[in-house]
Amino acid sequence: MHLISINDFTNKQIVKVLDLAEEIREHPEDFQKLLDGKILANVFFQPSTRTRISFESAMLRLGGKVINIGDMAMTSTSKGESFEDTVRMLDDYADIMVIRHFEEDAVKDVKSISQVSLINAGNGMDEHPTQALVDFYTIRREFKRLNSLNVVICGDLLYGRTVHSLIHVLIRFNNRIYLVPGGRRGLNKDFRDNLEYLYPDMTRLMLFPETTLFSRLYALYPEKGLKMFSSEYLRSIANIQIIRSSDSGGDIKPSVLYMTRNQQGTVPINEDAQEYDPYPVITQILLESKFFNEPIIMHPLPRGPELPVSLDNHPRSRYFEQAQNGLYVREALLLLMLNVVKW
Ligand code: NCD
């Protein structure tokens, strides 16, 4: 089996990964020889710190070995070898492959030719399913449940792939999502259409009611550069959306504030957009505001100015825990996808 999209896993399988991750955390000694003799190939066509190294560490902690195809300039890719041929060859060298590729379709295209399981570690701007599992595990450890939470997802929703996988998981487990894009980067139309298609019972995407919208936007923006937006403008760019699964009612206050970095630099972005819609920053003032005085702060990292280092010791910061949790979740994934532990 492959993990290309988070939707390749059923809800039951997602819960299984989280449960196993918890078991590994509690009793690491029970797992340390289970992947003896197995080889993982880490195939990264884009930079990575946490994802690649946590997969490597996960494999080593389970007794397995790792081949790193890190620097593609040193391989035959630089001689024009196709990605398909690279994967076909690695099939014989490894028992499982973790792939990160700058092109959305690259990993999808090779899944039919690969004899071994593939794990998508980020494909273009599309998805990052293992990060969503790490995020979800972090959420469950905090709240002891996976449903009926209010999650604010903030930042680059257009190009940031981690949020795409996370949104699916949150909806599937009946959570309410508030989207607060920065730099005019809301979810693209295809993604939103697909959500409506996949989850027809979900409340349709809506704009925030104007009054609360402004107070929330105010709160999210740094002291300087505050801007008011007309509701017409907001509607025209579909900038603020609420995604609400059908049966989540009750309190509207967020439990989680999930921030993401500006992908400028990773992808070409129109500079003008930032002038009209500056990128949000989490400030101390925001965290003391009425709406945001409870949520934990999450971020997939690496960070930019949106997540000041002064917040690192904040009692509600959870992003370093998130990174640490990556290890257990990825250990669980390797065990399950290699069929060493039963689903
Ligand atoms: C993310 C990615 O590569 O998509 N990194 C990660 O795996 N935690 C986030 C990012 O690069 O912004």
Side-chain angles (χ1 to χ4, degrees):
M1 96 182 286
H2 303 304
L3 174 60
I4 309 296
S5 162
I6 191 64
N7 290 338
D8 292 338
F9 279 2
T10 62
N11 285 13
K12 212 172 140 212
Q13 286 173 318
I14 289 174
V15 171
K16 178 72 197 185
V17 173
L18 308 194
D19 287 346
L20 183 58
E22 196 59 31
E23 254 183 81
I24 297 168
R25 170 187 226 113
E26 279 164 22
H27 302 286
E29 65 287 354
D30 294 351
F31 297 86
Q32 61 198 5
K33 298 257 182 323
L34 292 188
L35 295 188
D36 188 20
K38 301 278 189 210
I39 296 176
L40 160 79
N42 256 336
V43 187
F44 279 69
F45 286 81
Q46 270 188 318
S48 170
T49 308
R50 270 154 297 276
T51 308
R52 186 174 63 78
I53 295 173
S54 62
F55 263 116
E56 177 154 359
S57 175
M59 193 65 185
L60 297 176
R61 281 179 194 272
L62 296 169
K65 293 195 167 56
V66 183
I67 327 174
N68 267 299
I69 325 290
D71 187 352
M72 296 320 287
M74 299 298 286
T75 70
S76 290
T77 302
S78 63
K79 300 185 206 161
E81 182 165 66
S82 72
F83 183 53
E84 282 80 358
D85 285 357
T86 306
V87 167
R88 217 180 285 265
M89 166 208 73
L90 284 169
D91 256 2
D92 298 325
Y93 300 169
D95 301 291
I96 190 160
M97 257 183 258
V98 176
I99 299 177
R100 171 170 288 185
H101 204 287
F102 49 88
E103 275 174 20
E104 183 172 329
D105 289 335
V107 64
K108 295 178 185 167
D109 290 346
V110 291
K111 73 178 185 185
S112 56
I113 62 165
S114 176
Q115 303 297 311
V116 303
S117 288
L118 304 181
I119 299 179
N120 175 13
N123 59 323
M125 296 169 257
D126 186 30
E127 279 213 48
H128 194 342
T130 71
Q131 181 68 45
L133 293 167
V134 172
D135 298 340
F136 216 35
Y137 175 73
T138 306
I139 287 173
R140 189 175 75 168
R141 281 185 62 77
E142 186 74 29
F143 300 101
K144 313 283 177 254
R145 66 176 199 272
L146 289 171
N147 63 324
S148 305
L149 295 163
N150 296 326
V151 180
V152 176
I153 303 184
C154 185
D156 193 336
L157 312 182
L158 183 59
Y159 299 117
R161 56 196 169 198
T162 67
V163 299
H164 297 155
S165 302
L166 183 61
I167 285 171
H168 282 289
V169 183
L170 290 171
I171 296 176
R172 284 171 50 188
F173 282 81
N174 285 324
N175 296 287
R176 184 185 288 153
I177 307 171
Y178 302 114
L179 298 176
V180 183
R184 266 189 182 175
R185 268 165 272 142
L187 296 175
N188 80 22
K189 187 169 179 320
D190 284 353
F191 188 86
R192 280 185 287 135
D193 287 349
N194 191 37
L195 290 183
E196 296 207 36
Y197 168 77
L198 288 174
Y199 317 108
D201 59 341
M202 175 182 87
T203 305
R204 290 179 74 78
L205 304 172
M206 296 185 303
L207 293 169
F208 260 128
E210 240 173 78
T211 45
T212 50
L213 166 70
F214 287 144
S215 60
R216 281 167 213 178
L217 271 180
Y218 260 117
L220 272 172
Y221 282 78
E223 290 75 4
K224 278 192 198 158
L226 281 176
K227 272 185 195 280
M228 292 284 273
F229 303 97
S230 68
S231 51
E232 204 178 306
Y233 165 76
L234 287 172
R235 224 164 274 129
S236 72
I237 56 169
N239 203 14
I240 301 289
Q241 302 129 9
I242 300 180
I243 297 176
R244 191 159 66 101
S245 60
S246 49
D247 64 345
S248 55
D251 194 3
I252 63 151
K253 261 183 102 161
S255 325
V256 177
L257 171 55
Y258 190 98
M259 188 60 145
T260 60
R261 81 182 165 106
N262 190 336
Q263 295 290 329
Q264 195 157 24
T266 314
V267 287
I269 286 167
N270 176 6
E271 300 271 358
D272 290 354
Q274 310 248 346
E275 225 182 276
Y276 298 103
D277 187 8
Y279 208 84
V281 173
I282 303 185
T283 60
Q284 199 63 42
I285 299 171
L286 169 80
L287 296 175
E288 284 156 21
S289 69
K290 218 170 136 214
F291 192 64
F292 285 106
N293 63 8
E294 282 172 12
I296 56 164
I297 308 159
M298 295 178 66
H299 192 301
L301 302 175
R303 68 171 131 198
E306 73 287 349
L307 183 67
V309 287
S310 58
L311 298 178
D312 291 358
N313 293 323
H314 193 283
R316 285 186 271 132
S317 289
R318 295 291 180 277
Y319 34 93
F320 291 125
E321 276 179 31
Q322 237 174 305
Q324 187 194 14
N325 289 340
L327 179 66
Y328 308 113
V329 170
R330 291 183 173 114
E331 282 187 59
L333 267 174
L334 292 174
L335 288 168
L336 289 163
M337 292 188 67
L338 283 163
N339 293 316
V340 171
V341 171
K342 293 247 166 317
W343 279 102

